[in-house]
Amino acid sequence: MEVLFITSNEGKFREVEKIGRRYSVEVRWHREEYFEPQASSLHEIARISCEILSKKIGKPFIIEDSGLFIESLMGFPGPYSSYVFKTIGNEGIIRLMNGIENRKAYFLAIVAFFDGKDIHIFEGKTEGRISEAIRGNKGFGYDPVFLYGEKTFAEMGDEKNEVSHRRKAFEKFFRWLGKQG
Ligand code: IMP
């Protein structure tokens, strides 16, 4: 089986490609930076982006939208994760969290699949903490500030792919896909 994954993020594609192999799905990369509307939930962003893209692509594909939600910041940056990363980055996150004891955070991934007619949504969530400092050089985005156990995602490398939000969301999608026949 083959699915087309639309993303401009190589890190994401590489992770999903590996997850797909476990389910005998070949994930093909359609490298494109598409318009992402700003909305207050990742579900909404993923669904609207998928609807817009479906009119242009016209055949089945998947997209994925993720975000980092920090408990003591009321879920910030959440749906604004992309903008916040581009502006204040990981240094900014560490600064915002300076002196804050509750460092709980989670990553959420929303996969939206367009089957040629309808859109199907799958979700994955992984809980962790914000580290005290930037650590590790693997992965991408907020990986160096997201602690899963004692290591940051950026220190984990391939181990991240066993436990990540992306892994959970895509696992649900690939299992569902396998049942569609
Ligand atoms: P988007 O899903 O590409 O819109 O991602 C939103 C922001 O979250 C971007 O700045 C990504 O780099 C970051 N991000 C998404 N997934 C991950 C991840 O697995 N680890 C670290 N950062 C991520």
Side-chain angles (χ1 to χ4, degrees), residues 3-106:
V3 289
L4 197 63
F5 182 21
I6 305 179
T7 180
S8 58
N9 181 331
E10 179 165 7
K12 266 190 194 182
F13 169 69
R14 297 284 165 223
E15 288 181 12
V16 175
E17 189 185 27
K18 284 183 192 158
I19 303 164
R21 269 190 222 126
R22 293 174 183 237
Y23 291 87
S24 308
V25 176
E26 193 195 323
V27 180
R28 284 190 32 239
W29 189 10
H30 179 106
R31 187 175 199 157
E32 177 172 332
E33 187 150 8
Y34 54 85
F35 170 72
E36 269 191 14
Q38 195 64 67
S40 58
S41 87
L42 292 189
H43 281 85
E44 221 180 317
I45 297 172
R47 186 174 283 280
I48 298 169
S49 307
C50 194
E51 272 168 15
I52 296 170
L53 275 170
S54 68
K55 296 191 176 78
K56 182 178 158 198
I57 305 285
K59 59 180 176 183
F61 65 85
I62 40 172
I63 56 165
E64 185 241 75
D65 200 47
S66 304
L68 174 69
F69 295 74
I70 303 176
E71 191 173 280
S72 58
L73 303 181
M74 312 304 167
F76 182 84
Y80 309 102
S81 293
S82 186
Y83 178 72
V84 169
F85 187 74
K86 280 188 209 139
T87 50
I88 64 171
N90 285 329
E91 291 83 3
I93 294 290
I94 296 292
R95 246 182 283 124
L96 279 176
M97 293 298 287
N98 190 21
I100 296 180
E101 211 167 299
N102 175 8
R103 306 191 73 86
K104 282 189 200 158
Y106 65 85

Side-chain angles (χ1 to χ4, degrees), residues 109-123:
I110 307 295
V111 172
F113 172 57
F114 175 64
D115 67 6
K117 190 166 162 272
D118 298 314
I119 294 172
H120 307 265
I121 303 282
F122 304 85
E123 177 181 322

Side-chain angles (χ1 to χ4, degrees), residues 1 73 82 85 110 125 131 134 177 179-180:
M1 215 183 305
L73 303 181
S82 186
F85 187 74
I110 307 295
K125 178 179 176 181
S131 56
I134 291 172
L177 194 64
K179 285 188 200 144
Q180 303 309 301

Side-chain angles (χ1 to χ4, degrees), residues 12 36 65-66 82 85 107 140-143 160 165-166:
K12 266 190 194 182
E36 269 191 14
D65 200 47
S66 304
S82 186
F85 187 74
F107 269 123
F140 63 92
Y142 295 108
D143 282 348
K160 171 191 172 187
H165 50 305
R166 183 159 300 107

